[in-house]
Amino acid sequence: MPKRALITGVTGQDGSYLAELLLGEGYEVSGMVRRTSNVNYERVEHIADKIRFVPGDLLDEGSIVAALRDVQPHEVYNLAAQSFVTTSWNQPMFTGEATALGVTRVLEAVRQVDPSIRYYQASSSEMFGKVREVPQDETTPFYPRSPYGVAKVYGHWITINYRESYDLYACSGILFNHESPRRGLEFVTRKVTSSVARIKAGLDRELRLGNLDAKRDWGFAGDYVRAMWLMLQQDVPDDFVVATGETHSVRELCEIAFGRAGLDWTAYVVVDERFLRPAEVDLLVGSPAKAAEKLGWTPTVAFAELVEMMVDADIERLRR
Ligand code: NAP
Ligand code: F7E
């Protein structure tokens, strides 16, 4: 009997990589999708015939219960969220509904439909915000700096609370930034690599960015979804930081990305105040020691390799 998994957020970056991984592990994979006026399954187009899509929305408890009753999963990966930090200041209520309360809705559905379902919660390094220690690990106190970060702290603690209250197998993965050629265009890595491709092709002449000094621990999304899966294969549920242990600035990102295309980034990048945030997270760097020790997880793609992979993919995409 193959195992069944339900992924919320299957149309997103991580959902697409996780679906590939689970199909490769022999799972029957279902993906919860919300109604939108334009159907956009681009990231899962290549595996769409192998995934069962079920309707549902994080804002609608009944639809999540119905999806669980329908799929009868052994594992639920809750990846759906309003995930763009900037948008969380423009839409703080919606971000709270989806990214915070949405977690309770999924956990409640699991508890009611089948409490033996194993649950993964997509928590975030944004919870560390104004960091209390360097590097950040599973015991580092949280100090979120955006409505998104605050919502993720709620999601993290409600996951732990449901584990402790109802004995659910529920894990929270505190994942640091992870990127890929499938990353949304608004996030800084993809904004830079897609712009490099357009500038190289003569379609654009400049790239406007915000804070070039911000530092992030950037890894490859394909590596990070394996950590999610490993968390649900253990004897006891636990929470894990998933990171590379290295940190780099937006400036370094620009240097490598433009350099890959034979361009000098200083000739094209313009700092634009419109992209500064009301409160910034200056520095993130995680310790993946617990994930390495207990899950046997290590990242396989280094920062420069990741950026170059994304630039190459964006150049190839434009060429096609
Ligand atoms: P993403 O590309 O933005 O994907 C988000 C997914 O959530 C999309 O499939 C989206 O569906 C879905 N979604 C949004 N609102 C929904 C709603 N109300 N009901 C149902 N589905 C909804 O995000 P990602 O980068 O793959 O990240 C996956 C998860 O990990 C998110 O929870 C994110 O906050 C978290 N996370 C990400 C990172 C990272 O660096 N990528 C790090 C830590 C944590 P549509 O296609 O319909 O919009
Ligand atoms: O920003 C700076 C910006 O939007 C990274 C999400 O997946 O990872 C992501 O959140 C840094 C910030 O990602 C621009 O100020 C400069 O310091 O790529 P980002 P994020 O905010 O770190 C975490 C772990 C998540 O959980 C989130 O879901 O880059 N930056 N100039 C810029 N950022 C953007 N987007 N655009 C700029 O022009």
Side-chain angles (χ1 to χ4, degrees), residues 8-16 32-36 40 43 56-59 78-84 94 98-99 120-126 148 152 173-179 182-184 186-187 218 221 224 228:
T8 74
V10 74
T11 55
Q13 171 188 258
D14 291 6
S16 67
M32 195 182 87
V33 285
R34 59 178 170 164
R35 195 265 164 188
T36 48
N40 186 2
R43 293 187 179 103
D57 195 303
L58 285 180
L59 273 54
N78 185 31
L79 309 188
Q82 189 304 94
S83 75
F84 189 41
F94 172 71
T99 306
Y120 173 81
Q121 172 55 27
S123 292
S124 167
S125 52
E126 281 294 299
Y148 171 82
K152 282 289 180 186
I174 307 174
L175 271 52
F176 282 61
N177 300 52
H178 45 279
E179 319 293 312
R182 298 182 199 166
R183 187 57 142 153
E186 67 276 39
F187 298 94
W218 277 296
Y224 285 44
M228 298 176 186

Side-chain angles (χ1 to χ4, degrees), residues 13 81-86 122-127 148 152 175-179 183 185-192 207-218 250 253 272 275-277 279-282 284:
Q13 171 188 258
Q82 189 304 94
S83 75
F84 189 41
V85 171
T86 301
S123 292
S124 167
S125 52
E126 281 294 299
M127 302 190 301
Y148 171 82
K152 282 289 180 186
L175 271 52
F176 282 61
N177 300 52
H178 45 279
E179 319 293 312
R183 187 57 142 153
L185 286 163
E186 67 276 39
F187 298 94
V188 75
T189 51
R190 189 73 201 295
K191 183 172 172 182
V192 170
L207 166 62
R208 303 187 86 82
L209 292 174
N211 180 9
L212 302 183
D213 296 322
K215 295 182 99 178
R216 289 289 182 280
D217 180 333
W218 277 296
V250 173
L253 160 69
D272 185 333
F275 296 108
L276 298 176
R277 298 178 174 186
E280 178 62 288
V281 172
D282 296 318
L284 289 175

Side-chain angles (χ1 to χ4, degrees), residues 185-313:
L185 286 163
E186 67 276 39
F187 298 94
V188 75
T189 51
R190 189 73 201 295
K191 183 172 172 182
V192 170
T193 63
S194 62
S195 167
V196 165
R198 290 183 61 80
I199 289 172
K200 185 73 182 169
L203 298 171
D204 277 342
R205 274 190 287 193
E206 65 174 23
L207 166 62
R208 303 187 86 82
L209 292 174
N211 180 9
L212 302 183
D213 296 322
K215 295 182 99 178
R216 289 289 182 280
D217 180 333
W218 277 296
F220 172 52
D223 284 340
Y224 285 44
V225 297
R226 176 159 291 276
M228 298 176 186
W229 176 67
L230 285 169
M231 282 181 221
L232 296 201
Q233 313 312 312
Q234 305 304 306
D235 293 335
V236 286
D238 204 349
D239 310 316
F240 293 89
V241 158
V242 180
T244 69
E246 272 185 34
T247 191
H248 299 274
S249 66
V250 173
R251 187 175 276 103
E252 283 173 83
L253 160 69
C254 292
E255 201 177 329
I256 296 173
F258 281 83
R260 179 68 169 178
L263 302 170
D264 173 4
W265 73 277
T266 57
Y268 302 97
V269 172
V270 178
V271 173
D272 185 333
E273 284 197 352
R274 284 182 305 143
F275 296 108
L276 298 176
R277 298 178 174 186
E280 178 62 288
V281 172
D282 296 318
L283 163 80
L284 289 175
V285 56
S287 165
K290 183 176 170 185
E293 189 202 322
K294 298 210 165 152
L295 304 176
W297 181 87
T298 45
T300 68
V301 181
F303 177 63
E305 201 185 334
L306 170 67
V307 176
E308 290 174 0
M309 173 209 298
M310 292 174 69
V311 170
D312 292 352

Side-chain angles (χ1 to χ4, degrees), residues 6-7 10 30-34 41 51-57 63 66-68 70-71:
L6 176 69
I7 303 172
V10 74
S30 297
M32 195 182 87
V33 285
R34 59 178 170 164
Y41 294 179
I51 299 174
R52 200 170 142 226
F53 296 102
V54 292
D57 195 303
S63 71
L68 289 189
D70 182 11
V71 173

